[in-house]
Amino acid sequence: MSGTELHQLLGAYLLGGLEPEEAAAFDRHLFDCRVCRAELDELASLPALLDAVPVPDAVALTKPATPAAPGPLPRGLLAALAARRRRGRLLWSAAVAAVAAACLALGVLAGPLLAQHDGPDASYSVAAANGPQFTVNLVKKTWGTELAVDGNSMPVDGTLSLWVKGRDGVEDRACAWTATPSGKVRITGATPLQLASIGSIEMRNSRQQTVAVITVPHA
């Protein structure tokens, strides 16, 4: 399945309408696709908004309007309907459309609501006397955890990387970057590991030697 086809499954994934195999494929796609991760974050509130809409109203919004008078369908409309049949998954598309319509009908300002950003869910700092000084902010996401690194007095040559280690021993590289002459860095990384399952975070140099370690306590 191509990236474009997987991208079209975002609405069904958000509303829990995918088969297990499709959901697993989309999970893998999210790890590599920043666009889908960003869209998923923006739409994270939609399921809750859908739950707030009375069922009869939501169903009514998915029904096509009754034409004023019978007559032949325009050629353009027939082509559009054929394209929609080929794409499939009309039910989930209609559900998302129903949420948007219901928000307008109820006067909900969905844009500002979805645009709100809270602070990190966890934050850890390292301040060695003669070593790196940096902070890692962790934010829970539906697909895993986002990590934002803000550091000073970092190594000034080679390549650095941030590794996340799960409590079960699984390791994942969240991000990597080329050292800067100023020793400063500000970079964002990602891992499919959920925040609650992260046991430690390591910064490593180009020789994969550990430069600093952050132990994440149990929640």
Side-chain angles (χ1 to χ4, degrees):
M1 188 177 294
S2 68
T4 300
E5 291 172 328
L6 285 168
H7 184 79
Q8 293 175 350
L9 299 181
L10 192 147
Y13 177 85
L14 178 67
L15 297 175
L18 295 180
E19 296 295 333
E21 295 80 4
E22 293 175 320
F26 198 83
D27 283 333
R28 294 190 294 271
H29 174 69
L30 280 176
F31 182 66
D32 295 323
C33 182
R34 291 183 179 272
V35 174
C36 282
R37 291 201 301 268
E39 290 189 15
L40 193 64
D41 289 340
E42 292 177 358
L43 296 172
S45 298
L46 284 180
L49 292 173
L50 181 59
D51 288 341
V53 180
V55 173
D57 293 345
V59 173
L61 286 168
T62 65
K63 294 180 179 179
T66 303
L73 292 175
R75 182 177 302 174
L77 180 57
L78 288 174
L81 289 174
R84 291 185 67 188
R85 291 192 188 97
R86 287 193 297 270
R87 287 195 299 267
R89 306 192 182 281
L90 299 182
L91 179 59
W92 293 107
S93 299
V96 174
V99 173
C103 288
L104 293 175
L106 297 173
V108 177
L109 300 179
L113 176 64
L114 296 177
Q116 293 178 356
H117 296 283
D118 297 327
D121 295 294
S123 183
Y124 302 97
S125 297
V126 171
N130 297 312
Q133 299 177 11
F134 62 93
T135 298
V136 180
N137 294 322
L138 296 90
V139 180
K140 295 178 182 178
K141 301 292 183 179
T142 54
W143 43 262
T145 305
E146 181 181 272
L147 301 91
V149 182
D150 191 353
N152 298 285
S153 301
M154 310 290 283
V156 296
D157 56 10
T159 300
L160 300 171
S161 56
L162 200 69
W163 289 78
V164 178
K165 189 172 184 178
R167 301 189 188 280
D168 58 359
V170 174
E171 289 187 338
D172 178 65
R173 191 179 75 170
C175 59
W177 65 95
T178 300
T180 62
S182 65
K184 296 182 179 181
V185 65
R186 180 171 292 178
I187 189 170
T188 301
T191 175
L193 296 175
Q194 293 293 332
L195 178 55
S197 67
I198 295 176
S200 63
I201 302 170
E202 292 186 15
M203 184 175 293
R204 301 176 184 175
N205 59 23
S206 55
R207 295 183 296 276
Q208 291 302 297
Q209 296 173 329
T210 300
V211 176
V213 180
I214 295 173
T215 300
V216 179
H218 283 280

